[in-house]
Amino acid sequence: MERLQETNWVTMLADPSGQRKVKPRRSGVTMVIDKGLGLTAFHDMLQTSGPYIDVIKLGFGTSALYPNEVLAEKIRLCQEHRITIMPGGTFLEIAVLKGVTGVYLDTICRLGFSGVEVSDGTIQLSSKQRGELIARSKDYGLRVYSEYGKKLRGSRVETDDLLRTICTDLEHGSEMVTVEGRESGRGVGIYDDHGNCNLSLVEEIQSRIPDPHVLLWEAPLKSQQVELIQWLGPSVNLGNIPPDDILSVEALRRGLRSDTLNQLVASDQP
């Protein structure tokens, strides 16, 4: 287990909630989306926020656009900081369409990626195809994060379908199932066109799964991060977090922001 980050502050101030776990963790996971950071910015992000990042996704198919040395250094830095790094799920969908899934998996393993996202947000996969992709990726030694939901604006979560997908994906070896929210956080999944969260739907989903920590909710907007932490607690798994929001999300998890202070920080004061 990773040691607590060295700090000048006593623990009750650094984590007044007293609930934050250190890496490796399977709850309170923060997945960051990198849409094209340069190496300096990427290095600064890990230097500042490395202990608070569990997974970094190189968004969409951007992995193919980096100069070789830049991609190699990003992967090396993630290994150094014990962060899972994976290409976006859209890249695998393209490999499926082109019939080169094996080449894709061979390549990301050779490059040093430690995870893979299996999704069908744009293409259509049968349950059998999806399960085979997850199992095959697991056989490659990759950590598998499957994703539920379509990227088409107006797509919504169907609870029964999501529950079936969770069971099937976990059986085939998926580590977590991500609920689609896109990088916009609007008009898809559990969010309306303004980015407001359907909390009654979230509560229904949570109440019907035996282990809520198998879900990772994409929440790119601050309002969504606040609502999900307030509703589900600081150990909720959050994804598609922009690099600029990592410390803000960590502060929310610990009660170091006014949005969650009263809920998470116990006090002996009247």
Side-chain angles (χ1 to χ4, degrees):
M1 180 173 286
E2 183 172 304
R3 295 176 59 190
L4 286 169
Q5 187 182 30
E6 291 185 8
T7 176
N8 292 320
W9 307 100
V10 296
T11 302
M12 70 175 61
L13 290 176
D15 179 15
S17 75
Q19 300 182 51
R20 192 64 173 131
K21 297 177 181 178
V22 296
K23 297 193 291 187
R25 52 190 164 228
R26 64 178 300 272
S27 62
V29 166
T30 296
M31 183 269 277
V32 174
I33 183 170
D34 173 5
K35 296 189 287 185
L37 292 176
L39 272 183
T40 300
F42 194 85
H43 180 274
D44 289 347
M45 176 180 72
L46 296 191
Q47 186 178 46
T48 304
S49 310
Y52 318 126
I53 305 170
D54 300 273
V55 185
I56 291 178
K57 176 170 66 178
L58 302 184
F60 342 117
T62 57
S63 301
L65 305 179
Y66 287 102
N68 292 340
E69 63 275 11
V70 174
L71 181 59
E73 181 63 5
K74 284 196 171 189
I75 292 171
R76 187 195 69 78
L77 286 168
C78 283
Q79 292 171 343
E80 183 180 301
H81 287 266
R82 301 176 69 189
I83 295 170
T84 299
I85 182 169
M86 62 186 184
T90 302
F91 205 10
L92 177 56
E93 292 180 40
I94 293 167
V96 172
L97 288 177
K98 293 292 186 180
V100 291
T101 306
V103 174
Y104 175 81
L105 294 174
D106 284 337
T107 303
I108 66 173
C109 287
R110 174 173 53 81
L111 291 171
F113 282 101
S114 49
V116 64
E117 185 175 53
V118 175
S119 68
D120 54 359
T122 306
I123 67 173
Q124 193 66 41
L125 291 175
S126 68
S127 179
K128 180 181 178 182
Q129 288 174 307
R130 182 182 174 96
E132 288 173 349
L133 278 173
I134 293 170
R136 189 174 183 185
S137 300
K138 187 74 173 178
D139 288 342
Y140 271 79
L142 294 164
R143 301 182 73 176
V144 182
Y145 295 82
S146 56
E147 185 175 59
Y148 171 87
K150 295 298 182 183
K151 296 185 182 298
L152 183 67
R153 193 174 184 88
S155 300
R156 294 290 183 258
V157 172
E158 298 292 337
T159 306
D160 290 337
D161 187 41
L162 171 59
L163 295 174
R164 284 192 297 269
T165 301
I166 291 170
C167 291
T168 303
D169 286 2
L170 294 179
E171 285 176 3
H172 285 96
S174 181
E175 192 160 318
M176 285 186 181
V177 180
T178 302
V179 180
E180 176 70 70
R182 302 209 69 176
E183 73 278 10
S184 66
R186 293 183 174 90
V188 68
I190 60 171
Y191 305 119
D192 67 17
D193 288 343
H194 303 287
N196 299 314
C197 184
N198 186 340
L199 292 176
S200 61
L201 177 58
V202 171
E203 185 175 33
E204 179 189 359
I205 294 168
Q206 290 284 116
S207 68
R208 292 179 61 186
I209 56 176
D211 181 5
H213 294 134
V214 301
L215 285 180
L216 188 149
W217 306 88
E218 290 188 341
L221 304 181
K222 184 216 169 183
S223 59
Q224 298 162 357
Q225 299 154 10
V226 170
E227 282 191 307
L228 288 171
I229 290 174
Q230 287 177 338
W231 200 255
L232 303 178
S235 292
V236 61
N237 301 317
L238 299 177
N240 275 14
I241 303 301
D244 288 346
D245 288 353
I246 300 165
L247 287 181
S248 299
V249 169
E250 188 65 25
L252 285 171
R253 292 189 187 279
R254 296 177 182 224
L256 289 169
R257 291 182 74 176
S258 62
D259 306 90
T260 55
L261 188 153
N262 287 327
Q263 179 182 356
L264 299 180
V265 181
S267 173
D268 295 330
Q269 299 299 315

